[in-house]
Amino acid sequence: MTKVRAHSNIALIKYWGKRSAALKTPLNNSISMTLDHLYTETEVQYRPELQADQLFLNGERAQPAMEQRVQRFMDQVRQTLHFQAYGRIDSYNFFPTGAGLASSASAFAALTLAAVRAQGAELAPEALSRLARMGSGSASRSLFGGFVEWQKGERADGEDSYAVPLNIDWSPTMVVLVLTAAHKAVGSGDGMQRTVDTSPLYASWLDSIEADLADMRAGLMAHDFEKVGELMEHNALKMHATALASRPAVLYWQPESVALIQHIQQLRQQGVPCYLTMDAGPNVKVLLPPVGQGAQAEQHARWVSQVVNHPAVQQHFVCQPGPAAHPLQVSHD
């Protein structure tokens, strides 16, 4: 039995569109920040009496569709490690699930490491990341802490598509604003496929990504908060514009999302150094400078208070760059 904690991540430069849906390889690289206060804990215990994997989410047996998705992923684990046992999987999300907060990223990263370690096996970081990708593309990034780049790769078999840590020692704050914990109507996979297939703006999205990636790497290396924040916000809004141009339109925003976008932009005009990003969901994430970079603790706390002080905000998490996925408990008795 192995229990693992893995953290969600928020993409600063988005991945949007798959090169291979079967292998979950992306059409562009992406750069993310792992978040310390959004995480999943998953326990895997292989049991000889089981005839199939069993999945329990937050203490209850998972819906058949989700359980079947996890069973298909566990088939990948068995194929990779060459064993036959089935497992009971208990997974707990310590933040809203399926609401555009990358819960699948932390969930499949935790499951990957737990499933491998429960078998008494070890895989190199690149191999773990490739395996996690087969469960959820962004899970390839959640295996690592801090800032991470997922490489799209070129090979048809997906062997060169995995995430690598960027080794940047910098700690800006990411405030996650939860407007709704409801599941989104259009899943990320369906939304990006519709965008790739039908949006006339998608080619321009791909053409612009390499410059965004280079600028983001440079901004992170230089700890240039304004450069990182401005580019993060631009890249996110560009992704949503591309999705909006799909047929039919892929729209993840709620009216409250628009109100919060305006709220953050107005705060910035008033001198608060804040920039926003959004994934495939209605919730908004806001980047603030590290404590000590242009702000003492009291000033930083005021900025956080101003960001979260909006009637649309139902819940919020104040996050720093988080750690890599790691075991909490391991037993092979």
Side-chain angles (χ1 to χ4, degrees):
M1 182 275 289
T2 300
K3 185 176 184 179
V4 164
R5 177 182 292 176
H7 294 253
S8 177
N9 71 80
I10 296 299
L12 311 180
I13 300 295
K14 305 297 187 189
Y15 132 66
W16 197 243
K18 294 186 178 78
R19 179 163 56 91
S20 166
L23 296 175
K24 294 184 172 63
T25 49
L27 281 163
N28 64 272
N29 286 27
S30 54
I31 295 175
S32 65
M33 174 176 150
T34 302
L35 303 181
D36 59 354
H37 287 158
L38 272 61
Y39 58 87
T40 301
E41 291 182 355
T42 298
E43 182 178 295
V44 174
Q45 186 172 18
Y46 294 113
R47 294 184 173 179
E49 71 273 15
L50 292 180
Q51 301 301 307
D53 300 302
Q54 296 180 346
L55 175 64
F56 294 81
L57 292 177
N58 299 322
E60 297 183 357
R61 187 73 179 262
Q63 293 294 317
M66 177 54 72
E67 187 170 70
Q68 289 162 13
R69 179 181 176 185
V70 166
Q71 289 169 344
R72 290 192 296 271
F73 174 72
M74 291 298 293
D75 288 340
Q76 294 280 343
V77 176
R78 282 182 280 269
Q79 180 180 333
T80 300
L81 299 180
H82 308 293
F83 73 101
Q84 291 300 321
Y86 297 103
R88 175 182 166 122
I89 299 158
D90 288 274
S91 189
Y92 290 85
N93 270 341
F94 289 82
F95 62 102
T97 302
L101 297 177
S103 57
S104 65
S106 56
F108 276 99
L111 176 58
T112 301
L113 187 56
V116 169
R117 292 289 182 89
Q119 183 60 21
E122 295 278 350
L123 289 177
E126 292 176 4
L128 272 175
S129 183
R130 282 195 299 265
L131 184 56
R133 189 197 75 220
M134 298 299 294
S136 169
S138 52
S140 64
R141 300 187 305 237
S142 272
L143 282 167
F144 305 102
F147 299 95
V148 181
E149 181 163 357
W150 176 17
Q151 301 172 346
K152 64 178 181 178
E154 304 292 342
R155 290 176 48 162
D157 62 6
E159 287 296 295
D160 57 350
S161 180
Y162 51 83
V164 293
L166 293 179
N167 298 320
I168 291 165
D169 184 17
W170 190 45
S171 295
T173 298
M174 186 77 78
V175 184
V176 178
L177 305 179
V178 181
L179 317 183
T180 173
H183 277 255
K184 54 202 176 191
V186 180
S188 303
D190 292 340
M192 66 177 67
Q193 192 59 51
R194 190 188 306 172
T195 304
V196 172
D197 291 343
T198 69
S199 175
L201 304 184
Y202 192 74
S204 297
W205 160 265
L206 280 185
D207 287 344
S208 70
I209 283 294
E210 288 302 324
D212 284 1
L213 289 162
D215 287 346
M216 182 58 75
R217 291 185 205 105
L220 290 170
M221 289 290 291
H223 300 180
D224 186 335
F225 174 78
E226 288 189 359
K227 181 172 186 174
V228 168
E230 191 279 330
L231 179 56
M232 178 192 76
E233 183 169 313
H234 172 70
N235 183 265
L237 296 178
K238 182 167 53 175
M239 184 200 89
H240 283 274
T242 304
L244 274 169
S246 303
R247 288 186 174 178
V250 177
L251 175 60
Y252 289 108
W253 297 359
Q254 299 293 331
E256 295 84 357
S257 308
V258 178
L260 265 183
I261 291 171
Q262 293 173 327
H263 170 60
I264 298 308
Q265 292 177 337
Q266 287 165 2
L267 285 177
R268 194 160 66 236
Q269 290 171 359
Q270 295 165 12
V272 178
C274 56
Y275 295 88
L276 66 95
T277 188
M278 298 177 67
D279 287 335
N283 297 306
V284 177
K285 300 89 183 178
V286 181
L287 194 71
L288 288 169
V291 177
Q293 183 177 325
Q296 298 306 313
E298 296 81 3
Q299 177 66 74
H300 197 274
R302 282 195 292 272
W303 289 340
V304 171
S305 178
Q306 288 173 283
V307 164
V308 303
N309 185 24
H310 190 280
V313 177
Q314 302 300 309
Q315 186 181 14
H316 72 274
F317 301 85
V318 180
C319 301
Q320 311 294 330
H326 53 282
L328 300 173
Q329 185 179 356
V330 180
S331 173
H332 298 300
D333 294 338

